[in-house]
Amino acid sequence: SVSGFTISSMKRPYDFRRPFRNVKSASDAKTLTDGVELSEGHVMPWVGYGTYRLGKGKAFEPTLEALKEGYRCIDTAFIYAGEQTEKQVGEAIQTAIENKIIKDREEVFVITKHWRNYHGYEQTMKCLDLSLERLCIDYVDLYLIHWPG
């Protein structure tokens, strides 16, 4: 719970395909598509589905189920599950599109993370390209440095 906000207090929107809605704070969020407006005007949902502890070969079904349940922010990383999770997240997104759970890629806010073995501009771009290839998408919505040690 963050500021008294819990997943169970969220109401799923009747129409998952509506655009993300900017709300002032997490406590004002009423659906899984409510979020915070970032500096460039994009809205990032306050609540996302994290894939960290799903394990090798186990990310596809839970991620697809999360999309069915209305989650529109998926968090993953280059290194998760021995570098296997991003591929399964991408497959879940594609399956969700094919099964009309979501209309298109734009309905999901995808977060992934750069791994520390790829520091420096050229290496970071290589890591991003590998992530995009695994996810089978053209862009990520938020790209973070994972464990910048």
Side-chain angles (χ1 to χ4, degrees):
S1 157
V2 177
S3 303
F5 177 80
T6 62
I7 298 293
S8 61
S9 70
M10 305 271 310
K11 294 180 184 173
R12 293 187 197 119
Y14 291 105
D15 181 9
F16 293 144
R17 294 181 179 99
R18 67 189 176 104
F20 299 128
R21 183 175 72 114
N22 182 32
V23 294
K24 188 174 182 179
S25 69
S27 61
D28 294 327
K30 305 295 183 221
T31 72
L32 293 170
T33 57
D34 289 346
V36 59
E37 187 173 333
L38 303 176
S39 62
E40 292 186 6
H42 300 285
V43 176
M44 178 178 70
W46 283 104
V47 177
Y49 183 73
T51 61
Y52 172 54
R53 294 194 178 237
L54 295 179
K56 289 184 179 180
K58 297 182 181 175
F60 174 79
E61 287 295 332
T63 303
L64 183 59
E65 189 62 31
L67 291 166
K68 287 179 184 176
E69 291 297 319
Y71 282 87
R72 293 299 177 264
C73 180
I74 305 294
D75 176 85
T76 190
F78 183 87
I79 198 67
Y80 289 175
E83 300 183 18
Q84 295 179 14
T85 300
E86 286 179 324
K87 183 177 188 300
Q88 293 186 333
V89 166
E91 290 169 352
I93 292 169
Q94 293 306 314
T95 299
I97 293 167
E98 291 166 9
N99 293 333
K100 300 184 184 340
I101 296 163
I102 58 175
K103 184 178 175 185
D104 53 34
R105 157 66 182 95
E106 287 73 29
E107 290 186 30
V108 182
F109 192 97
V110 177
I111 302 169
T112 195
K113 297 167 207 78
H114 155 284
W115 186 235
R116 65 183 178 161
N117 292 351
Y118 292 87
H119 283 286
Y121 180 80
E122 293 299 326
Q123 289 297 312
T124 297
M125 296 309 292
K126 178 180 177 182
C127 188
L128 175 59
D129 287 341
L130 289 168
S131 289
L132 293 171
E133 183 178 317
R134 291 175 182 175
L135 289 161
C136 294
I137 57 179
D138 295 330
Y139 66 95
V140 294
D141 298 283
L142 185 60
Y143 192 56
L144 301 171
I145 295 173
H146 200 212
W147 194 4

